[in-house]
Amino acid sequence: MIFRSNFHQDLLFFENPTVNSIIQFIYNNIYVFRKLEMSDRSNWGSKLGFILAATGSAVGLGAIWKFPYMVGANGGSAFLLPFILMVFTMGVVLILAEFIIGRAGRGSVVTSFKRIAGPLWAPLGFIGVFCAFLIMTYYSNVGGWCLTYLFESVMGKAASTDLALLEKTFTDTVSTPLSAIIYQTLFLAITAGILIFGVNKGIERISKILMPLLFVLMIILIVKGLTLPGATEGLKFLFAPRWDQVTANSLLNAMGFTFFSLSLGMGIMITYGSYISHKEDLPSSAIWVAFLALVSALLAGLMVIPPVLAFGLNPSAGPGLTFITMPAVFANFPFPNFFAFCFYGCLFVAALTSMISLFEVPLAYLMDEWHLKRKSAAILLFVSLTICSIPCALAMGPWSDIKIFGKNFFDFADFVACNILMPVSALFVIAITGWFFFDKSKYEVNLTKERNETWMKVFRFLLAFVAPCFIAVIAVFNLM
């Protein structure tokens, strides 16, 4: 590979031609040495596998569970259009920043921070590791709900026209201690079992199976939903411009959801970035991940909103839209349990792909910093999470009266992770890539394809100046 610079001409000042030859050889083969340096760490087997894995992280329940009720509660297109704009500006920039740190540092979040910025930055990298762990303590609970409903659909019990019965079923699901802990533990065990097989045989292989399966299941449900009388109202709700409903609140919600839905500030994209080959172009990879995450969110909206409106139900029903409203929709379909199975299969796949990416963050930390084998690290994490997740599993049941600053364990963990740790972690990512060590960012961005100075100036402006304001506004809005 040719190094695109004339800087080598300034190095050749020695009179001894042998010294000059050595310098020229090292400089021209810098990528060979870099490749040897990276050879002891796993790489993605293919660009497709990496993009599907990263997209699986970004999709998650954020797209399928949260997006439909967020777009429903914020005026449809009044939320959707700003969201699309922010995904392809701030979203791409921040994904790229995390990829840069990961590939440049070739390690976990803590290891990468330390290698790029020095040992004093290592504790700041731990914020991302702790954030991922904390999210898993309650996210595994939601994954358990998805498993519960998936099994219920297999048993033919996941669809009903009785909304009161469906609400009671959901309440029982989240508040019954034994079943909540069992399903949550099973969900954690499935995740740990996949990750024991490593990056290529575990994460990448399962992503190549689960992500296409997710899209197939979603398309089946979309096709059926769009054939319903009145489904066109759902399309209008989603895509017809409604500028009169664009408010400061809908814009702020779109900003917050962009940040949340792309798995930013959790250390995921840094960890996945550490497995990216030096041959891959980081900016194009970041764009692909953002694009596929956006497509997944749009498919989720098409899967949920048209049938909900076709049956005259409320699209702004909040989180219950997934577990209460949708079973009522399926009850009006032919073969209701089949479509319920497809839907909760989507939820489970989305939850699992996100959980895999979250799990890999502290797993990589244990391997890089504690020098544990992958299997040992996975088992240690599984046991730790099984124990630490119990308060969240009981937070809507017998421990619902236990409050921390007025919030139960589930809500408190979610509040701390999303409103404090994620924004702070993202700001440190920006500080490294956009402020103090931009030369390393420039190197990684131009490694396979050189960008012109205008491109780099726009990128740095968005990263170093616009992105911090973007994150600060989200943080303040969520803390109010």
Side-chain angles (χ1 to χ4, degrees):
M1 183 176 294
I2 299 173
F3 191 81
R4 299 178 179 87
S5 174
N6 292 323
F7 182 63
H8 69 280
Q9 295 175 357
D10 299 328
L11 292 175
L12 303 182
F13 56 87
F14 291 101
E15 295 182 0
N16 190 324
T18 303
V19 175
N20 281 340
S21 297
I22 293 172
I23 293 174
Q24 183 70 60
F25 174 80
I26 293 174
Y27 196 81
N28 286 344
N29 292 278
I30 188 170
Y31 293 103
V32 175
F33 289 107
R34 179 180 174 87
K35 185 175 181 180
L36 291 172
E37 177 189 338
M38 299 191 300
S39 62
D40 61 345
R41 187 170 182 81
S42 298
N43 281 338
W44 299 106
S46 65
K47 183 173 183 177
L48 175 63
F50 152 62
I51 289 176
L52 288 176
T55 303
S57 165
V59 173
L61 292 176
I64 297 179
W65 177 36
K66 195 171 183 179
F67 178 78
Y69 80 76
M70 286 291 288
V71 75
N74 288 278
S77 59
F79 172 89
L80 179 60
L81 298 178
F83 172 63
I84 293 173
L85 175 64
M86 291 170 195
V87 164
F88 284 115
T89 51
M90 289 298 95
V92 171
V93 166
L94 291 171
I95 291 172
L96 178 55
E98 296 204 10
F99 283 168
I100 287 169
I101 290 181
R103 190 167 71 177
R106 299 303 293 175
S108 67
V109 186
V110 174
T111 306
S112 293
F113 271 42
K114 183 164 53 179
R115 287 177 178 170
I116 295 173
L120 293 178
W121 287 77
L124 304 178
F126 187 76
I127 295 173
V129 176
F130 179 65
C131 180
F133 185 91
L134 185 62
I135 290 172
M136 283 191 287
T137 61
Y138 64 89
Y139 198 87
S140 58
N141 196 210
V142 183
W145 303 346
C146 296
L147 264 179
T148 304
Y149 273 78
L150 184 61
F151 289 147
E152 289 292 311
S153 67
V154 173
M155 301 300 293
K157 301 178 181 178
S160 172
T161 56
D162 188 341
L163 288 175
L165 176 62
L166 292 171
E167 188 169 354
K168 182 180 182 301
T169 301
F170 179 66
T171 302
D172 291 343
T173 298
V174 302
S175 62
T176 304
L178 184 60
S179 64
I181 292 174
I182 288 174
Y183 280 108
Q184 178 174 269
T185 304
L186 178 58
F187 184 68
L188 285 168
I190 293 170
T191 306
I194 292 169
L195 285 164
I196 283 175
F197 290 97
V199 174
N200 301 122
K201 294 182 180 180
I203 301 173
E204 186 171 355
R205 181 175 293 176
I206 201 71
S207 296
K208 286 181 175 179
I209 296 171
L210 293 182
M211 290 309 296
L213 175 63
L214 175 65
F215 288 127
V216 168
L217 291 174
M218 292 174 79
I219 289 170
I220 289 173
L221 290 163
I222 289 169
V223 170
K224 175 57 185 174
L226 291 178
T227 61
L228 297 171
T232 53
E233 292 302 314
L235 295 177
K236 292 178 183 177
F237 182 82
L238 282 171
F239 300 114
R242 301 163 66 179
W243 304 116
D244 58 313
Q245 294 198 25
V246 176
T247 64
N249 198 58
S250 67
L251 291 174
L252 289 168
N253 280 322
M255 291 172 67
F257 186 73
T258 300
F259 189 74
F260 172 82
S261 66
L262 295 176
S263 299
L264 300 169
M266 309 176 195
I268 293 172
M269 296 303 174
I270 293 176
T271 305
Y272 276 12
S274 70
Y275 304 126
I276 300 177
S277 165
H278 70 292
K279 297 178 181 179
E280 300 296 342
D281 183 56
L282 292 188
S284 64
S285 296
I287 292 171
W288 267 111
V289 171
F291 172 74
L292 290 177
L294 174 62
V295 168
S296 301
L298 292 175
L299 290 176
L302 287 169
M303 181 174 65
V304 174
I305 299 297
V308 166
L309 290 179
F311 289 112
L313 298 171
N314 184 7
S316 59
L321 183 65
T322 301
F323 295 104
I324 298 173
T325 307
M326 289 306 292
V329 169
F330 299 135
N332 291 281
F333 283 11
F335 311 109
N337 291 308
F338 168 75
F339 288 104
F341 175 80
C342 290
F343 180 74
Y344 291 111
C346 286
L347 279 184
F348 173 70
V349 169
L352 183 60
T353 54
S354 282
M355 192 67 175
I356 287 170
S357 61
L358 284 164
F359 206 101
E360 183 68 14
V361 175
L363 188 67
Y365 166 74
L366 291 175
M367 290 190 296
D368 290 347
E369 297 296 318
W370 290 25
H371 308 294
L372 295 179
K373 297 293 185 183
R374 176 173 281 271
K375 183 177 180 180
S376 301
I379 293 172
L380 176 61
L381 267 179
F382 167 70
V383 173
S384 302
L385 282 165
T386 299
I387 296 170
C388 293
S389 299
I390 289 175
C392 292
L394 303 179
M396 299 178 193
W399 290 6
S400 59
D401 292 331
I402 302 176
K403 305 289 185 181
I404 304 174
F405 298 109
K407 301 179 184 295
N408 64 31
F409 286 114
F410 187 107
D411 293 335
F412 180 74
D414 180 50
F415 178 83
V416 172
C418 294
N419 299 323
I420 299 174
L421 297 179
M422 285 171 59
V424 170
S425 178
L427 287 174
F428 286 129
V429 168
I430 291 169
I432 290 175
T433 55
W435 299 344
F436 298 113
F437 303 97
F438 185 71
D439 57 328
K440 296 183 180 181
S441 299
K442 189 173 182 179
Y443 175 81
E444 291 294 336
V445 166
N446 291 307
L447 189 57
T448 58
K449 179 182 178 182
E450 188 170 5
R451 269 75 188 183
N452 59 43
E453 282 301 312
T454 302
W455 195 100
M456 293 305 304
K457 287 179 180 178
V458 172
F459 170 61
R460 188 172 195 182
F461 175 74
L462 291 174
L463 177 60
F465 300 103
V466 180
C469 298
F470 176 80
I471 293 168
V473 168
I474 294 170
V476 171
F477 175 67
N478 289 334
L479 289 172
M480 289 176 61

